[in-house]
Amino acid sequence: MSTKQYKTAGDEVWRNRTDKVSSELFTMTYGALVIQLIKDYQDYSEVNKQLDKMGYNIGTRLIEDFLARTNMPRCTDFRDTGEVISKVGFKMFLNTTPTVIHHNRSSMPADASGSNPTAASQNQQPQQEFSLILEENPLSEFVEMPPDAREGGLWWSNVLAGVIRGALEMVQLQTTAYFVSDVLRGDEQTELRVRLVKFMEEEAPPADD
Amino acid sequence: RRRLMEEVEEAGLVVEGSNGAARREDKEEERELEARLEQVGALVGANLAERLSRDRPPLATTLDVLKFVCKDFWTAIWEKQVDGLRTNHRGVYVLTDQAFKPLARIATSEGSAMTARVAKLHLPHSVGLLRGALGRLGVNATVVAESAIAQGAKGASETAST
């Protein structure tokens, strides 16, 4: 499927197969949740960790909803995965489409780009990663970060990193996801980076008897 | 024996016994969780109420505030109005919603007792929302939620007393 088709698919799911919730309620609840975490842990790096953990738990369940509602075919490579996350995933859950920037560190034959799992699991494989540039971020609407939180290194939307990591893990992609910049911190853009660690082996479920 | 315990639990009875201590700890944890969720809700409710009421004339009486909450506030959050508002004219108001969204899709595979427990955890946030909104609008209230989901009916009522 092409990028354009993903876009149409995402739009379609958002319009016809998504129950909506008030965005103000959503944004404010997330904000209040983060504030509660800050109060409870008094430590911004711990808050980042907790948000990531929550996100992970959300992601591992969200992927099921995603697959059930979209009928997406299998991604052919990690590049494809990035496009689907942005055009379909973000669209259907947050009604926003981040820009995807692919980073492929070394030049390699295009046809081998990750479509072969055995090649990808070898160490010599160039790093595969992409960045999601969030031009709009529903989570950070109405948010202003106090200097204290900025210095403490709070990644406001860190839950998203966890969601992506959790969701991808459920489809046999081990990844690391982390924010590298955030407009709330005074950066020029909000960038979430996702790096492929390896394709995980499909595990057979334990036998019934 | 375990089977029996499960059955007893399913019937909605509390099993006290060897795992009593663990249970109490669970209860404690649950209470803390509920307090947190309610606080989160209260913050949201207060801020949302303030935003919603910004461009309208001030709400003079408690009843006005309650009406505002039932109509505008509820609609902003759950896309529908409250189904019923009753009062005993002594400061107790009962709001009923027959299709309360947060509980609309609750289900577990572990029987109705478990479902009721899970459902209960979904209420503090809404309680907080309501308490926060009322508070910001000048009505300090105690809010209690009741739901009949355990009996299969999907509805919730929230009582606010001033």
Side-chain angles (χ1 to χ4, degrees):
Chain A
M1 270 173 109
S2 72
T3 311
K4 205 164 168 200
Q5 279 171 299
Y6 289 143
K7 216 168 184 147
T8 340
D11 284 348
E12 201 269 324
V13 176
W14 167 258
R15 261 203 314 276
N16 304 327
R17 270 176 282 170
T18 305
D19 282 340
K20 322 284 196 291
V21 64
S22 151
S23 75
E24 280 192 343
L25 174 70
F26 175 71
T27 305
M28 284 182 172
T29 301
Y30 183 70
L33 175 88
V34 177
I35 290 168
Q36 187 66 44
L37 282 175
I38 294 171
K39 271 190 202 150
D40 284 354
Y41 289 98
Q42 310 271 344
D43 174 44
Y44 292 111
S45 59
E46 190 58 33
V47 173
N48 287 341
K49 219 183 284 167
Q50 291 300 326
L51 285 174
D52 182 78
K53 204 165 125 195
M54 282 179 174
Y56 177 83
N57 288 331
I58 295 171
T60 53
R61 292 163 172 79
L62 209 58
I63 184 73
E64 179 145 343
D65 188 36
F66 174 85
L67 293 173
R69 277 199 280 148
T70 57
N71 297 317
M72 274 287 137
R74 223 167 237 280
C75 293
T76 51
D77 56 22
F78 198 56
R79 235 187 130 78
D80 220 18
T81 308
E83 296 295 335
V84 172
I85 288 177
S86 141
K87 311 289 184 301
V88 188
F90 269 81
K91 177 71 190 176
M92 72 187 268
F93 292 118
L94 293 173
N95 192 23
T96 167
T97 309
T99 310
V100 196
I101 297 175
H102 298 280
H103 312 275
N104 278 344
R105 286 293 159 70
S106 76
S107 57
M108 52 177 182
D111 60 340
S113 57
S115 54
N116 182 353
T118 50
S121 56
Q122 277 162 19
N123 288 341
Q124 287 85 0
Q125 192 70 16
Q127 265 170 7
Q128 293 196 57
E129 59 179 45
F130 57 80
S131 290
L132 298 167
I133 311 294
L134 293 144
E135 285 93 359
E136 304 170 54
N137 181 359
L139 295 180
S140 62
E141 206 103 338
F142 324 123
V143 177
E144 218 173 296
M145 269 226 282
D148 175 45
R150 208 182 280 189
E151 278 156 29
L154 173 67
W155 290 115
W156 179 267
S157 312
N158 217 29
V159 74
L160 292 180
V163 170
I164 291 178
R165 183 167 63 87
L168 289 180
E169 197 172 301
M170 290 295 116
V171 287
Q172 268 79 41
L173 294 171
Q174 199 182 74
T175 53
T176 48
Y178 52 96
F179 276 91
V180 288
S181 63
D182 191 339
V183 282
L184 290 179
R185 289 186 172 199
D187 299 322
E188 246 167 55
Q189 57 185 14
T190 305
E191 179 179 353
L192 172 60
R193 209 170 262 242
V194 185
R195 175 181 295 167
L196 178 66
V197 178
K198 63 168 190 199
F199 292 96
M200 296 188 290
E201 297 299 324
E202 192 109 33
E203 273 175 39
D208 269 340
D209 44 41
Chain B
R1 191 181 135 82
R2 223 173 108 201
R3 181 92 189 87
L4 183 78
M5 295 262 270
E6 275 168 30
E7 264 172 34
V8 171
E9 214 167 338
E10 213 155 292
L13 300 170
V14 185
V15 189
E16 279 287 350
S18 55
N19 53 357
R23 221 155 254 283
R24 254 195 296 285
E25 218 164 89
D26 276 2
K27 277 261 158 65
E28 187 60 36
E29 211 165 282
E30 222 161 80
R31 243 202 308 279
E32 256 188 44
L33 174 64
E34 282 175 11
R36 287 216 167 76
L37 285 172
E38 200 187 317
Q39 230 169 336
V40 167
L43 199 60
V44 176
N47 290 334
L48 206 56
E50 188 171 320
R51 284 177 66 82
L52 290 172
S53 59
R54 193 182 53 192
D55 298 324
R56 60 181 339 285
L59 298 151
T61 65
T62 304
L63 189 61
D64 284 340
V65 170
L66 259 299
K67 276 193 199 151
F68 172 77
V69 167
C70 292
K71 287 186 184 150
D72 304 45
F73 185 71
W74 216 265
T75 310
I77 298 181
W78 310 123
E79 294 172 330
K80 71 187 280 295
Q81 292 185 12
V82 160
D83 292 320
L85 169 63
R86 280 182 298 145
T87 175
N88 68 350
H89 298 289
R90 287 203 207 96
V92 179
Y93 296 85
V94 181
L95 285 65
T96 38
D97 189 331
Q98 301 299 336
F100 195 49
K101 273 218 178 150
L103 301 180
R105 300 241 168 105
I106 301 248
T108 57
S109 53
E110 287 143 78
S112 58
M114 192 61 188
T115 309
R117 243 177 93 186
V118 173
K120 206 171 133 254
L121 278 181
H122 285 71
L123 291 175
H125 180 249
S126 310
V127 167
L129 281 173
L130 198 54
R131 184 168 60 82
L134 290 171
R136 189 60 65 86
L137 296 170
V139 178
N140 284 318
T142 321
V143 181
V144 190
E146 272 164 38
S147 154
I149 196 161
Q151 280 83 49
K154 289 202 177 147
S157 61
E158 312 224 357
T159 319
S161 52
T162 48

